[in-house]
Each structure stands twice: as structure tokens, then as C-alpha cells.
Amino acid sequence: MTSRRQFIRNTAIAGAGMSIVPHWVSATQKSNNKLEELKVGLIGVGLRGTNHLQNLILRNDVRVTALCDIDAERIALCRNLIKEAGKSAPLIFEGGPYDYLNLLNSKEVDAVIIATPWLWHTRMTVDAMKAGKYAGVEVSAANTLEECWDLVNTHEATGTHMMILENVNYRRDVLAVLNMVKQEVFGELVHFRCGYQHDLRHVKFNNGKQPYGGGVEFGEKAISEARWRTLHSVKRNADVYPTHGLGPVAVMADINRGNRFLSLTSHASKAIGLHNYIVKNGGEDHPNADVEFKQGDVITTTIDTARGETIIITHDCNLPRPYSLGFRVQGANGLWEVDGNRIYIEGKSEPHQWDDANDWLARYDHPLWKKYGEYAAGAGHGGMDFFVLHAFVESAKANIAPPLDAYDAAAWSAVTPLSEASIHQKGEPQKFPDFTRGLWIKREPYSWIKDTY
């Protein structure tokens, strides 16, 4: 982390005069000079928000000027982290759920990072844009189609930008495969698979004393994510967390930039995983053993696109299983599958035999990872957190559209309400709104293959 701090300081100085051009400029986009120092406020400093703070305070071009949370202990912890880093004390906003509005009114804040429970994401992001603050919001960005439109409409009305902080878009193998896609190694793209396949039972339940596991409590008797996240499994039969898988695939498929989602169908299995976990760890007599969970254990969604590709997304978080985002990228000339770590390219691989993906991924290693990989290693999630925050900070300093913008946030997050409707209607197709209002036809893809951000 020390070497990363020094590296970031050096690159911040070296890049101060860099000319940065937005990949798409709206009619209301502001044209400001690039800031040398970005004043950032954090709204929500739980485990995720604290992780962002730890990365931000290493940067010489960022000053964390404000913290907001309803948990005084988290505020105290983060205030100490800032003090130990030798940084100036931030403004504190801990006066209740809506004190974030006072943070947004502060002239000491240029940009905000929102890492709160899901139901607050859209309202806080919308309020931030209305206040003229560049907003970074954790995933998913929205829960309903109305909220998806709120993000887009507010961005267009105010000219203020927001970025969905989808860190998997910056995973090393994902960016290497994106490099292969851009160099047409797979040929014309045909099909994708992705998802969120992650045993989250220890995240959805705890003992009220530790954030992960140790008991079968959720809601008011729990802490951390189990306090709010599990309720979505009680109330909604939907893919409530699509963007870790869909975000990288959407970039490869040029969604909102020459392509778009047209419709989806979704199906859900029965729901037994969370109940079984409660009975196994808390007993049949535990009150939570009587809770009826609405969310199916395995939810499968199929999307079709304007260019004719299909995308299968799997949500599988309530059963025992190893972690995988289940990526497959398939084109006319070959395919990559993350499970098995394998690639096959016609004319390059032995006929009907998989290649180990490592050699291919090393050959097409992304310029960002070549430049920053050593220094990103300690940033969290295998280094991905460094890259997503780096893109946010650089975009916010220049006040330009980020790589993952309001239209992406809306389109990717729309999977949740649309999957819910399709499941409720026994798999009936659901049409995707065109959040770009036709502009996807002429929007140019973001220039991903570079070593800046």
C-alpha cells in the first residue's frame, strides 16, 4: 500500500496536464477545467464505504471532506482512519437518514460516493445530481423501472454525471477478454453467459455481533448487510443483483453504444436454500424457520439484443456452491469460459480441444493492468476496487461522462424489475425501455483499450 500511495502521487502529478476527451457529450454537459484535487464526500461508511475510504485517502489528488452515516461507530472508525493517514478532518453528518442532504449542500464537496442499502441508491444519486455533485453509486443503482428513468432524466435535466461503480468491469481476466473482443479474436459475437453465483447465506444471516455468519438473524436483530439485504429475498422473486455479471458483458456487446437490450424472459426455481440454512444452524424452532422466502434459489434470465446476440444471466446465491460469475463470451471464431479457465479459437487451438486460458489472457493483458497492476493489488477484490475508483476520480476531476454512465446504470439495473415481472407472469417476455431514447444508434463506444482509465 505504501508503494501504491507513492505511485498514485507520482502519476497524479504527471497526469495533471493530460488532455481528456469525453466519449459522449450531452446537450447539457458542463465544460469545466480539470480539478487538481477532488473533494469527495462519502454517504454510507459501512464495510463497503470504508473500503472506498481506505483507497481514497491514499490518493494525492483526493481529499475526503465529508462523511455521512447513521451509525456513530462507523463514523468514528472512518474519522480515525483519516486522522491516521495525516489528512484534514472531514465534516460529519450523522443527524439521521436525511442528513445526507446537508452534505450535498456543502461547498466542500465536489463528488460523492454512495455505499448505502439498495433502497437508498437512486434517491441519493438523484439528489446528488440535483445538487451538482458528481455521483458514484454502488450496485445495483436502481430497484424499479421508475428509478431507472429517474437516474437518466435527472442526468439529462441537470447535466451532472453519475457512475455506477461496477468493479467487475475492471477484473483482470475480464479486461483481457474485452481486449480480445476489441481485436476481434472471437470474431463476430453471438452469445454470452454471466451471472452472480455466490453462496451468500453467511452474508444474509448473522448473530447480530459479527457481519458474516455466526447465527441466523436478519433484519432488526442483525447487523451489516443482513440487516437489510435479506429482506429483498423475502419480498422479491427477482434477480436482485445482476450487474457483476451483466456489466462486463454489456460493455463487450456495446450496449447503449451501437447496440441495446430488447427484451428478456426470466424463470425462478423453488426457494428452499435459506430455509434449510436457518433450520440447520438455528433449529426448526427458531422464529426465522417460519419465514417464507419469495426469491427462487436459482433465477435464469435470457436477454436478446438489437444486434442479435443472446445473454443468459444466472442468479444463484441461496444454495451451497463455490463462487463464479459464470462468464462465457462466444463468437463466430471461438469462445472463452471462465469456469475451467479455458479458451478455444478456431485455427489457433487444436481442433476440439480447449486451451488453458492463462496464455491467452497474458498475451492480451489490458494496458491498465500492465500499468497499475502491481499497485492495485492491495485495493480490494483483487485490485478491481482501485481501477473503478480511479475511473471515477479521473472522470469527476474532468467533469466528463464516466466509462459506466447513467444509461448503463439504468439498463443494467432494469433487469431486476423486468425479471420480477417475467417470473410473476410465468416467463412472459418483458420489453426493455430504451433509456437513450434512440441515441444508442449513434453513440460511440467508450475507448476502453488504453492505460489511463
Side-chain angles (χ1 to χ4, degrees):
M1 299 295 279
T2 302
S3 62
R4 185 154 60 91
R5 180 187 293 112
Q6 186 60 47
F7 183 80
I8 292 169
R9 284 175 179 166
N10 293 342
T11 54
I13 294 170
M18 186 182 299
S19 175
I20 300 177
V21 181
H23 64 285
W24 185 69
V25 182
S26 71
T28 54
Q29 184 169 329
K30 300 171 186 176
S31 178
N32 293 340
N33 294 326
K34 184 176 179 180
L35 298 174
E36 292 187 8
E37 180 185 67
L38 187 70
K39 295 180 289 186
V40 176
L42 293 175
I43 303 176
V45 288
L47 296 180
R48 187 63 179 143
T50 301
N51 178 255
H52 285 317
L53 171 64
Q54 290 171 319
N55 287 313
L56 288 171
I57 58 180
L58 293 177
R59 298 187 65 112
N60 196 46
D61 58 349
V62 169
R63 182 158 55 94
V64 177
T65 56
L67 302 175
C68 180
D69 204 292
I70 59 175
D71 187 334
E73 291 185 6
R74 299 303 306 182
I75 289 284
L77 184 153
C78 290
R79 185 188 295 180
N80 286 336
L81 288 174
I82 293 172
K83 182 178 180 181
E84 290 171 2
K87 305 286 186 174
S88 57
L91 300 171
I92 301 299
F93 298 86
E94 52 184 341
Y98 293 96
D99 204 17
Y100 77 91
L101 294 171
N102 292 318
L103 180 152
L104 294 177
N105 285 330
S106 172
K107 294 181 179 179
E108 290 300 307
V109 174
D110 302 316
V112 294
I113 290 179
I114 298 162
T116 53
W118 296 339
L119 295 181
W120 287 92
H121 283 184
T122 299
R123 69 181 72 186
M124 288 176 167
T125 306
V126 165
D127 287 337
M129 286 190 284
K130 288 180 177 178
K133 311 299 184 185
Y134 202 113
V137 62
E138 270 299 337
V139 299
S140 290
N143 300 278
T144 67
L145 289 181
E146 180 183 15
E147 286 188 337
C148 292
W149 277 113
D150 284 346
L151 293 173
V152 169
N153 291 338
T154 305
H155 159 64
E156 292 182 347
T158 63
T160 307
H161 295 289
M162 58 91 42
M163 178 176 174
I164 181 170
L165 300 176
E166 183 42 76
N167 60 352
V168 180
N169 277 75
Y170 294 89
R171 207 169 85 175
R172 191 164 201 158
D173 58 346
V174 166
L175 281 179
V177 172
L178 176 60
N179 194 10
M180 295 176 72
V181 167
K182 294 298 183 183
Q183 296 192 43
E184 300 184 348
V185 175
F186 300 109
E188 184 178 353
L189 297 175
V190 176
H191 178 69
F192 302 90
R193 293 187 183 180
C194 61
Y196 194 58
Q197 302 174 128
H198 189 186
D199 184 355
L200 293 182
R201 296 172 299 168
H202 66 297
V203 174
K204 294 185 178 184
F205 301 103
N206 60 46
N207 58 6
K209 300 176 182 178
Q210 62 191 52
Y212 302 128
V216 294
E217 301 296 348
F218 71 94
E220 294 300 318
K221 293 184 178 180
I223 63 169
S224 194
E225 289 181 65
R227 192 170 181 87
W228 56 268
R229 184 170 186 158
T230 318
L231 292 172
H232 290 264
S233 300
V234 177
K235 300 289 187 180
R236 306 192 75 175
N237 196 6
D239 184 338
V240 296
Y241 205 61
T243 71
H244 280 337
L246 187 58
V249 163
V251 167
M252 294 177 194
D254 294 330
I255 298 301
N256 294 327
R257 298 167 178 85
N259 196 10
R260 79 175 188 93
F261 300 140
L262 292 181
S263 66
L264 65 69
T265 60
S266 296
H267 296 82
S269 74
K270 57 186 167 183
I272 62 172
L274 298 183
H275 171 77
N276 290 348
Y277 182 84
I278 293 169
V279 171
K280 179 179 179 179
N281 294 279
E284 293 183 357
D285 295 331
H286 193 283
N288 287 341
D290 294 329
V291 174
E292 183 176 347
F293 293 93
K294 193 171 184 180
Q295 184 182 57
D297 290 337
V298 179
I299 293 172
T300 307
T301 297
T302 301
I303 297 176
D304 64 313
T305 73
R307 290 201 310 217
E309 303 99 340
T310 53
I311 304 168
I312 296 176
I313 314 170
T314 303
H315 182 276
D316 177 359
C317 297
N318 300 337
L319 296 168
R321 61 155 300 127
Y323 172 88
S324 174
L325 298 186
F327 287 116
R328 177 199 282 187
V329 177
Q330 189 165 12
N333 296 340
L335 71 162
W336 166 66
E337 290 188 349
V338 69
D339 293 330
N341 189 36
R342 56 194 189 178
I343 284 178
Y344 178 81
I345 304 297
E346 189 173 47
K348 301 292 184 180
S349 306
E350 289 294 323
H352 308 292
Q353 294 185 30
W354 292 101
D355 289 343
D356 186 291
N358 288 336
D359 289 342
W360 286 93
L361 297 177
R363 189 185 315 171
Y364 290 92
D365 196 18
H366 193 279
L368 277 171
W369 275 93
K370 290 180 179 179
K371 181 176 180 179
Y372 293 107
E374 176 184 351
Y375 306 95
H381 291 95
M384 295 185 292
D385 290 347
F386 166 82
F387 291 103
V388 72
L389 271 184
H390 183 61
F392 171 76
V393 169
E394 293 299 325
S395 300
K397 287 195 305 182
N399 195 26
I400 61 173
L404 313 175
D405 62 15
Y407 304 99
D408 299 318
W412 306 351
S413 300
V415 169
T416 295
L418 291 176
S419 67
E420 186 172 36
S422 182
I423 291 168
H424 181 69
Q425 296 172 28
K426 308 299 181 185
E428 283 294 311
Q430 307 294 314
K431 292 184 178 180
F432 268 89
D434 176 8
F435 294 106
T436 72
R437 297 180 176 91
L439 292 177
W440 65 272
I441 295 173
K442 66 178 183 179
R443 292 185 74 199
E444 292 294 325
Y446 177 77
S447 179
W448 277 97
I449 312 304
K450 59 183 182 180
D451 69 355
T452 50
Y453 64 94

